[in-house]
Amino acid sequence: MDNLEFNAPVNKSKVFEDMIQQSTDAIIYTNPDFTINFVNRTAEEMFGWTLPEIKGKPITILHEQELTSEQKKEMFSDLYSGKPHEIEGIRKCKDGSTFYCQIKISPLFTEKSRIYGYLGIMRDITEEKKNEDSLVKEIDLLTGLIGTARVIVTVLDRQGKIVYCNPHMERISGYELKEVKGEDWFSRFIPGREKERTRSVFKKAIAGHPTEGNINPIVTRKGNEVTVEWFDTALKNENGEVTGLLAIGNDITQRVEAEEKLKTIYENMPGGVLMIDQDYIIKDVNYRTCEITGYKGEELVGQLCDIVCPKGSASKQCPIWEDGKEGFRGMDTTIKCKNGRKKPILKNAQEISIKGDTYILELFQDISERKTAEENAIKAKRTAEKANQAKSEFLANMSHELRTPLNSIIGFSDILSKEVRGELNDPQKKYVSNIAKSGNHLLSLIDDILDISKIEAGQEQLEYSSFELHEVLDEISILIKPLTSKKRIDLQMDLPSEEIRVYADRKKFKQIMYNLLSNATKFTPAKGTITIIANQKKDKLKVAVSDTGIGIPESEQTTIFEPFQQVKSSKSSEHKGTGLGLSLVRELVEMHDGQVELKSEVGKGSTFTFTIPDKPTTN
């Protein structure tokens, strides 16, 4: 007890950074355009590039060959729907050499559910592929070579029947091959308590998922058990069809028996205690550890410490031993339980010495209640987001249903107003006119709802093209002229004399401008002025719409872009609208990876400015 030390908690960001850097998998973080932003040390070692050398370069610098159009389509379908995409393929190092790897790509989202980057986790499986190919081509030769090996070698067919056992297996089990050939492996050699788990491991291996380090006992002719650590690989024929399983095992019975003899229990500790030796084997646990994890003591003792480590141990290395104890003092982490769940804990690690042997002593406290409160808050946020998504989808569907009858109402009112079927008296003309105006207003509202619902539901896509800015603004000024002329508003343009070409979605660009000009016209009094100002700098287009209208109070400027929000003032009450125009502007600009700004003063007018990149984005 005297040599146990408890240091103050370290910076969590530092711990997180160290965990990433010490990961045995290569970790690569890219920007939305798939340019490399960060790689960990494992990635540097794997590819031969340092972070400064590769940062900002396209991820394709690591590709041996480009993805096919179908592969790209499948990948982006997964990523844009929020799902990780898993692939296997060949990757290229700095020196031109290649290797086979397993890759998992995950999209990274902002709080507004927009992708701000991608996280790739890679694992080198070159050796696994080589072993598999070798077994497919040379199984006959391999059988001859392993006949005298000091490891257990067994070949099973797809049903788990015994096809081959080498002499070492015969010596350990007490059975000759001719006695057990064709029998069910699980019935003959696996204890009842292990049959279900072992069959599950067998099925996974047959399905193409090689297992490494699986430990289970086999029952000998004499009835005693021998503990074996297995390495399983599926066997395939020349057509790539799985024909069986090759299982190679090491007898670890003596090691396990020796480990079980080392018992030093710390039952008086208020938290959990794990004692781990330099082979990363759990040597002892206290009763509180069993309470927290759900394991019995005998289920933990003698196992690799990764049985409870949330990070796992693909390299069979304990991160505390390898990285040093300092990073694991006051660490907010988790522990894996028997039921597969992970419990949050506060962990401290300390090096101790017992009879000249060195161990790591892990002491941890269960902080589940605190974490549960945090998770409940996150769940509430996600529930709200799902509800908002459902709302958007409902509005989109209902808008379609309402638009059809409205078009009929508007169409028939137009026919009546033209008196095709007979003359109308003055009251009737007024009624028909009111029907047409109301129908068109309601259709405009439905169109706005449909547009914003499509965006929120992720159904709206950008169609980029190159167009001339002056030409588009001329088209918009013609469309808006009936509104400005009615109020005798002077529409001015302050544009550079040279031609400005824009690369964006032309239709949505026009919608942005029309909504801004329509909004400015609505809140600008008669004989006022609206000015369009545009310039292009450093691959960015900046457009401003300034008016001499009623202005927007500062208290409302933060909410004016929200759906169904309008300026609340006595002067604005006379202006009809859906309250969706500015919300659509913001959504459409942000789809272009741009931003919208507002400057306004009550009684003096408002200026809405948006900036978009003059190039396509990945959003």
Side-chain angles (χ1 to χ4, degrees):
M1 294 293 292
D2 293 337
N3 59 350
L4 299 181
E5 296 179 7
F6 294 85
N7 290 2
V10 299
N11 183 280
K12 292 182 181 180
S13 297
K14 178 63 167 59
V15 172
F16 182 72
E17 179 183 349
D18 289 344
M19 291 173 67
I20 291 177
Q21 290 293 3
Q22 295 301 324
S23 171
T24 56
D25 293 332
I27 298 176
I28 300 177
Y29 161 55
T30 74
N31 299 314
D33 62 354
F34 289 98
T35 55
I36 297 171
N37 189 293
F38 170 81
V39 298
N40 68 346
R41 281 196 288 268
T42 302
E44 289 180 324
E45 294 171 0
M46 185 179 290
F47 290 99
W49 295 90
T50 64
L51 177 56
E53 291 176 322
I54 204 170
K55 187 171 183 179
K57 294 184 181 294
I59 192 67
T60 52
I61 194 174
L62 306 178
H63 289 189
E64 171 65 8
Q65 55 184 176
E66 284 291 328
L67 297 177
T68 65
S69 58
E70 284 300 318
Q71 289 172 326
K72 289 181 180 179
K73 182 178 180 181
E74 181 181 357
M75 180 179 72
F76 284 112
S77 175
D78 287 343
L79 296 178
Y80 288 165
S81 62
K83 297 187 300 184
H85 183 72
E86 297 185 16
I87 56 174
E88 289 185 3
I90 299 175
R91 291 299 178 264
K92 181 173 60 178
C93 300
K94 181 180 179 181
D95 61 8
S97 61
T98 60
F99 64 95
Y100 208 91
C101 66
Q102 188 178 63
I103 308 166
K104 181 176 182 180
I105 307 170
S106 301
L108 304 175
F109 292 93
T110 65
E111 292 183 354
K112 294 182 178 180
S113 299
R114 293 181 178 84
I115 294 177
Y116 70 85
Y118 300 93
L119 185 68
I121 300 177
M122 301 184 182
R123 178 172 300 175
D124 187 345
I125 58 171
T126 304
E127 289 303 316
E128 294 177 17
K129 285 294 179 182
K130 287 181 179 179
N131 290 339
E132 185 175 312
D133 293 341
S134 177
L135 287 171
V136 172
K137 297 177 181 178
E138 303 177 16
I139 186 61
D140 291 336
L141 175 61
L142 182 61
T143 301
L145 292 174
I146 63 180
T148 58
R150 296 291 298 176
V151 293
I152 299 171
V153 179
T154 301
V155 177
L156 308 178
D157 66 13
R158 290 177 57 85
Q159 286 72 44
K161 300 293 180 64
I162 300 169
V163 176
Y164 172 80
C165 292
N166 72 334
H168 192 59
M169 174 61 182
E170 291 179 328
R171 287 192 292 271
I172 288 177
S173 68
Y175 292 99
E176 293 183 5
L177 174 59
K178 62 184 179 181
E179 296 180 89
V180 296
K181 188 173 183 179
E183 289 192 15
D184 180 78
W185 167 262
F186 308 99
S187 300
R188 170 57 70 182
F189 290 111
I190 306 301
R193 67 183 185 279
E194 290 285 342
K195 284 182 180 179
E196 183 175 348
R197 185 184 67 84
T198 308
R199 282 187 184 275
S200 176
V201 172
F202 170 80
K203 290 177 181 178
K204 289 181 180 179
I206 285 292
H209 303 284
T211 59
E212 179 178 335
N214 174 50
I215 297 175
N216 67 264
I218 59 173
V219 180
T220 68
R221 181 188 287 272
K222 295 180 179 180
N224 59 311
E225 294 185 2
V226 176
T227 304
V228 181
E229 184 177 27
W230 296 98
F231 300 82
D232 304 329
T233 303
L235 296 173
K236 299 179 182 178
N237 59 23
E238 293 181 354
N239 296 324
E241 299 169 339
V242 175
T243 58
L245 180 77
L246 174 67
I248 300 176
N250 291 315
D251 181 359
I252 60 170
T253 304
Q254 291 183 352
R255 188 186 79 186
V256 172
E257 290 175 351
E259 291 163 357
E260 290 177 348
K261 294 177 182 178
L262 295 175
K263 291 263 182 205
T264 305
I265 307 297
Y266 301 98
E267 295 295 348
N268 295 324
M269 297 295 293
V273 177
L274 286 166
M275 189 171 72
I276 305 168
D277 73 2
Q278 295 185 39
D279 292 327
Y280 320 135
I281 301 298
I282 298 174
K283 290 297 183 180
D284 213 334
V285 298
N286 69 340
Y287 179 70
R288 181 66 179 136
T289 298
C290 298
E291 282 187 328
I292 293 173
T293 64
Y295 285 102
K296 296 179 181 178
E298 57 268 26
E299 292 177 309
L300 292 174
V301 174
Q303 300 294 322
L304 286 168
C305 58
D306 68 344
I307 191 173
V308 291
C309 176
K311 183 178 178 181
S313 182
S315 63
K316 305 303 177 192
Q317 292 182 337
C318 173
I320 301 179
W321 278 104
E322 298 300 318
D323 303 339
K325 278 65 67 182
E326 290 74 15
F328 294 88
R329 289 174 181 164
M331 183 182 185
D332 189 343
T333 182
T334 59
I335 190 167
K336 288 194 300 186
C337 300
K338 184 177 180 179
N339 59 9
R341 305 177 76 178
K342 295 180 181 179
K343 280 189 178 180
I345 60 170
L346 187 65
K347 178 166 73 173
N348 285 276
Q350 175 65 43
E351 186 177 301
I352 64 172
S353 180
I354 299 176
K355 295 182 179 181
D357 293 326
T358 303
Y359 302 89
I360 287 293
L361 193 68
E362 287 191 31
L363 304 98
F364 54 91
Q365 297 288 336
D366 185 352
I367 55 173
S368 298
E369 291 185 3
R370 189 189 79 187
K371 290 295 183 180
T372 298
E374 295 173 359
E375 290 172 0
N376 287 339
I378 294 173
K379 287 180 181 178
K381 178 177 177 293
R382 289 175 178 169
T383 299
E385 290 173 348
K386 288 182 179 179
N388 187 58
Q389 177 75 3
K391 175 214 69 178
S392 297
E393 293 176 356
F394 170 77
L395 289 176
N397 291 333
M398 287 305 298
S399 297
H400 283 295
E401 296 296 328
L402 292 171
R403 188 186 291 193
T404 300
L406 266 178
N407 282 327
S408 296
I409 293 172
I410 295 170
F412 285 124
S413 65
D414 286 342
I415 292 174
L416 290 173
S417 66
K418 293 176 181 178
E419 300 180 320
V420 175
R421 296 294 182 178
E423 295 184 359
L424 302 177
N425 57 38
D426 290 341
Q428 288 173 335
K429 291 179 181 179
K430 182 178 180 181
Y431 299 151
V432 170
S433 176
N434 288 338
I435 291 172
K437 289 179 180 178
S438 298
N440 280 302
H441 177 71
L442 187 54
L443 184 59
S444 174
L445 173 61
I446 291 172
D447 285 339
D448 285 348
I449 292 175
L450 181 59
D451 286 340
I452 200 165
S453 297
K454 278 184 177 180
I455 295 172
E456 291 180 351
Q459 299 173 0
E460 197 71 73
Q461 301 294 328
L462 297 180
E463 296 181 4
Y464 280 93
S465 64
S466 178
F467 55 87
E468 211 278 311
L469 178 64
H470 293 68
E471 178 184 326
V472 170
L473 293 182
D474 287 341
E475 293 175 7
I476 293 298
S477 62
I478 293 173
L479 292 175
I480 205 73
K481 188 172 182 179
L483 299 178
T484 56
S485 298
K486 187 176 181 181
K487 298 176 71 174
R488 290 175 292 170
I489 292 174
D490 183 17
L491 178 60
Q492 301 178 356
M493 293 191 188
D494 183 1
L495 307 177
S497 57
E498 68 274 10
E499 179 183 283
I500 296 178
R501 294 206 67 80
V502 183
Y503 200 78
D505 186 310
R506 181 178 181 129
K507 180 180 178 182
K508 291 178 175 57
F509 184 87
K510 290 175 66 175
Q511 190 173 2
I512 292 169
M513 291 302 305
Y514 184 84
N515 283 0
L516 288 176
L517 290 170
S518 175
N519 184 76
T521 304
K522 187 186 303 180
F523 293 100
T524 299
K527 298 182 180 181
T529 302
I530 298 174
T531 305
I532 302 173
I533 307 168
N535 58 70
Q536 191 176 39
K537 291 182 180 180
K538 295 181 180 180
D539 296 327
K540 287 190 176 182
L541 176 68
K542 186 176 183 180
V543 181
V545 175
S546 181
D547 64 58
T548 58
I550 63 175
I552 302 170
E554 186 175 353
S555 60
E556 298 180 26
Q557 290 181 19
T558 56
T559 60
I560 196 66
F561 290 101
E562 298 300 321
F564 306 106
Q565 296 295 319
Q566 289 184 307
V567 179
K568 299 178 178 62
S569 70
S570 58
K571 292 183 179 181
S572 65
S573 59
E574 62 191 72
H575 303 293
K576 295 181 180 180
T578 65
L580 291 173
L582 293 179
S583 179
L584 271 170
V585 167
R586 183 181 67 178
E587 294 289 348
L588 293 173
V589 169
E590 289 182 352
M591 282 182 70
H592 285 80
D593 204 24
Q595 293 180 329
V596 182
E597 296 178 355
L598 165 64
K599 291 183 180 179
S600 183
E601 186 176 346
V602 175
K604 294 186 177 181
S606 304
T607 299
F608 289 87
T609 304
F610 70 90
T611 305
I612 60 174
D614 191 17
K615 60 181 180 179
T617 72
T618 57
N619 291 334

